[in-house]
Amino acid sequence: MTELCHSSPVRRLSHPAVLIAGILMIAMNLRAPFTSIAPLLERLQAALGFNATAAGLLMILPLLAFVVVSPWVPRLARHVGLERSVFLALLAIAAGIVLRVQGNTLALYVGIALIGAGIAVGNVLLPSLVKRSFPRHIALLTSCYVLTMGIMAAIASAVMVPLAQDSADGWQFAMLIVVILPVVTMVVWWPQLSHRSLPTAAKVAEKVAEKGAARPVRQAAVWHSPLAWQVTLFMGINSLLFYTVNSWLPSMLADNGFSPEKAGSLHGLLQLASALPGLILVPLMPRLKDQRLIAFATPCMSLAGFIGLWLMPGWALVWVLLLGAGSGASFILALSFMGLRARDAMQSASLSSMAQTLGYLLAAMGPPLIGALYDRQGDWQLALMVCASLSVLMAGIGWLAGRDRQLPEASASE
């Protein structure tokens, strides 16, 4: 960590320790305000009167916000600066947390959509912030903030049910107390607002614009490539499975006799388990020339988790660990493929745009469809079978996406 303090970009902007603290605290806000809803989902359904299908739609709002908001984030950062864009994201998250506990369905949906918009801005800008300020320590700080994100999400999920039970205001108090996260982070981040720097993503976008037709050519080469579709489907199916489990795990466990407190704790464990693979994979990935075996194995971990929940739900602790580790490792692989499979930064940006846009659209289908299956069947058996089948498909796609290949060169005729 000593070397971090000698990074010249940091010295010009802010004290490095303050900036690192700000980065880690921003990361705390990028999962917990959304994922902590799941342990309280049955209470919300009872209080506001909606079924599992409607609850599934509720859980996909942040994913839809990712798809809608993410393409506009570089433009926002160019106009107001990286630091102030991050502050606005935190403000949106705080406002959404307050709005969603007002006691009616419309406010709940609008509040969660606002939280998703804020998280989308943070998701796009935090890697750019790390790259700008600590260019020699990207892997270290990335693994640190991914782990911090998972730990805070785990804590938030674990305390939701006890907080709801111990308060006269129930679920509203439990969901409101999360506002402490963005408020404290805004206080820590406040000194950065005196700076106005252009994020890496915005700089890349401007360079692309200067080259005129270069961007359409790159995008055409990506969208016509089978390899790009393999990377996109690998990320999309993994996101679909993760957000499905994240949304419905407490309900699945409750239907198998687990107490709300135990289900909430296991949901928190899912968040923590999804973050831990980053400690191994982030430094390991640059050393692996071919990723076929690991891209095949990580969906198999998820497959074992789904089969285990289906056939032996009493061993849920084991299956939750497998599901979390498998989805977390697959997510890191998907992000890595966006750089490894591209020939240059411009092509990587196009592949990232394609994979994340289509991937999150695919992910948004998961929670409501699985909720609809539950409404129709009355149990989770068919839903778990569908998730297991998708894990098998993802393993096959992972074997293809993990090959040591790159996207084709863009030709002038495209």
Side-chain angles (χ1 to χ4, degrees):
M1 191 64 71
T2 303
E3 291 184 14
L4 293 178
C5 296
H6 291 86
S7 179
S8 58
V10 177
R11 186 180 295 115
R12 290 195 300 269
L13 292 174
S14 179
H15 191 282
V18 175
L19 189 52
I20 292 171
I23 289 171
L24 296 181
M25 293 200 68
I26 292 165
M28 293 181 187
N29 290 270
L30 300 185
R31 186 175 290 176
F34 163 48
T35 58
S36 59
I37 299 173
L40 300 174
L41 204 52
E42 291 190 347
R43 293 172 184 264
L44 287 173
Q45 290 178 247
L48 300 178
F50 50 81
N51 61 16
T53 304
L57 291 172
L58 176 71
M59 298 303 289
I60 70 169
L61 281 177
L63 301 179
L64 296 177
F66 296 167
V67 174
V68 173
V69 174
S70 296
W72 299 95
V73 175
R75 181 176 296 182
L76 171 67
R78 284 197 300 273
H79 280 86
V80 304
L82 176 58
E83 295 81 7
R84 295 178 188 180
S85 296
V86 170
F87 188 86
L88 289 175
L90 295 168
L91 193 61
I93 293 170
I97 291 172
V98 173
L99 186 60
R100 71 183 180 181
V101 300
Q102 297 307 306
N104 64 79
T105 303
L106 178 61
L108 178 67
Y109 275 74
V110 174
I112 291 177
L114 195 57
I115 291 170
I119 292 175
V121 176
N123 281 339
V124 172
L125 295 184
L126 195 56
S128 181
L129 179 65
V130 171
K131 184 175 179 62
R132 180 210 67 184
S133 302
F134 304 98
R136 294 182 296 168
H137 305 280
I138 293 174
L140 173 61
L141 281 176
T142 299
S143 61
C144 286
Y145 84 64
V146 169
L147 181 61
T148 302
M149 188 189 306
I151 291 173
M152 182 49 63
I155 294 172
S157 293
V159 302
M160 282 297 103
V161 172
L163 286 173
Q165 290 178 336
D166 293 342
S167 170
D169 293 320
W171 63 269
Q172 290 170 294
F173 172 77
M175 289 174 61
L176 178 61
I177 203 167
V178 184
V179 79
I180 293 173
L181 281 176
V183 169
V184 173
T185 306
M186 282 189 282
V187 173
V188 174
W189 192 249
W190 185 265
Q192 309 301 327
L193 299 186
S194 60
H195 310 293
R196 185 183 183 277
S197 56
L198 193 66
T200 302
K203 291 178 181 177
V204 170
E206 288 188 346
K207 290 180 180 179
V208 171
E210 291 173 359
K211 295 183 179 180
R215 185 180 180 93
V217 170
R218 295 291 186 186
Q219 288 181 335
V222 168
W223 284 77
H224 293 165
S225 169
L227 179 57
W229 283 98
Q230 291 156 14
V231 172
T232 297
L233 288 174
F234 184 79
M235 179 176 180
I237 295 174
N238 182 64
S239 297
L240 184 154
L241 294 175
F242 174 76
Y243 285 105
T244 296
V245 173
N246 182 78
S247 300
W248 294 119
L249 179 64
S251 298
M252 292 177 182
L253 296 175
D255 281 6
N256 282 286
F258 286 79
S259 68
E261 296 87 350
K262 183 66 173 178
S265 297
L266 287 172
H267 186 266
L269 183 63
L270 175 73
Q271 314 304 322
L272 182 60
S274 68
L276 292 177
L279 296 176
I280 300 173
L281 286 181
V282 169
L284 179 63
M285 283 300 295
R287 304 179 184 179
L288 295 176
K289 186 177 181 180
D290 185 292
Q291 296 85 31
R292 281 179 296 179
L293 287 177
I294 194 169
F296 180 84
T298 54
C300 289
M301 295 172 65
S302 297
L303 171 63
F306 286 120
I307 292 176
L309 282 178
W310 172 23
L311 299 178
M312 293 182 287
W315 288 52
L317 175 64
V318 176
W319 314 133
V320 167
L321 285 172
L322 284 172
L323 286 169
S327 63
S330 297
F331 179 65
I332 293 171
L333 281 169
L335 293 179
S336 300
F337 288 158
M338 295 171 196
L340 293 171
R341 300 296 171 256
R343 294 182 179 273
D344 53 44
M346 298 300 104
Q347 199 174 58
S348 176
S350 295
L351 177 58
S352 176
S353 175
M354 173 184 175
Q356 296 205 44
T357 300
L358 296 184
Y360 282 126
L361 279 174
L362 183 60
M365 298 169 60
L369 288 179
I370 295 302
L373 285 177
Y374 176 80
D375 284 337
R376 181 172 181 174
Q377 299 293 125
D379 59 47
W380 296 103
Q381 302 302 309
L382 180 58
L384 289 169
M385 290 173 61
V386 170
C387 290
S389 300
L390 288 172
S391 298
V392 173
L393 175 61
M394 181 181 163
I397 294 172
W399 183 268
L400 297 174
R403 294 172 296 172
D404 182 22
R405 297 187 179 184
Q406 288 187 315
L407 298 173
E409 290 278 7
S411 64
S413 61
E414 287 183 287

